[in-house]
Amino acid sequence: MTIDAIPAEPQFEVADSHAALFHALAEPTRLALLQHLSTGEHRVRDLVEHMHLAQSTVSKHLSCLRDCGLVTARTEGRASWFALTDLPRLSDLLEVADDLLDTSGTTLSLKNHRNHENLEDGDL
């Protein structure tokens, strides 16, 4: 068995913006909102009805997604319409995430991951 040499320099850069983006994508409700917005532009009212959530909850999640540049908003009268900023790149990112998970051979469970402090070493 050979041990690969450890590279002297990191092979990629990490920025606070990456943490903010992945934080936005880490919330299942926000992912569901993004998925619904992939069907087209929607008013907050439509999203509230579709998600069966309070308007304040939907607005809070949309604000996070907007701050991260994942969605845009436009005002029409008293209504705010939300849309994905870049559907092809978001789709690509999620596809790469699927590929990474497939390559790792790890089966993830959100329930277990959220309770990771209760897991033994090696459990996931």
Side-chain angles (χ1 to χ4, degrees):
M1 173 186 341
T2 62
I3 299 175
D4 293 331
I6 298 173
E9 296 292 322
Q11 299 300 298
F12 56 87
E13 295 294 319
V14 176
D16 286 347
S17 58
H18 296 136
L21 174 65
F22 287 114
H23 169 79
L25 294 172
E27 214 309 308
T29 301
R30 288 193 284 270
L31 285 173
L33 281 167
L34 291 171
Q35 182 181 42
H36 191 61
L37 287 171
S38 73
T39 66
E41 189 178 50
H42 294 281
R43 297 174 297 175
V44 172
R45 172 180 153 174
D46 302 327
L47 295 168
V48 164
E49 185 176 307
H50 176 77
M51 301 293 294
H52 303 288
L53 296 170
Q55 185 272 329
S56 60
T57 301
V58 171
S59 292
K60 178 184 78 168
H61 287 304
L62 288 170
S63 178
C64 176
L65 295 170
R66 190 174 175 189
D67 289 348
C68 291
L70 295 171
V71 299
T72 59
R74 69 176 179 85
T75 304
E76 186 178 285
R78 293 179 50 193
S80 293
W81 289 81
F82 286 83
L84 295 178
T85 303
D86 193 337
L87 175 58
R89 287 192 179 163
L90 180 59
S91 295
D92 289 347
L93 176 62
L94 294 172
E95 186 176 320
V96 168
D98 285 338
D99 291 346
L100 183 61
L101 292 170
D102 288 345
T103 300
S104 73
T106 303
T107 302
L108 295 177
S109 163
L110 184 59
K111 179 183 176 208
N112 288 341
H113 182 74
R114 285 189 170 170
N115 296 322
H116 67 277
E117 64 275 358
N118 299 326
L119 295 175
E120 299 294 323
D121 285 343
D123 290 345
L124 193 51

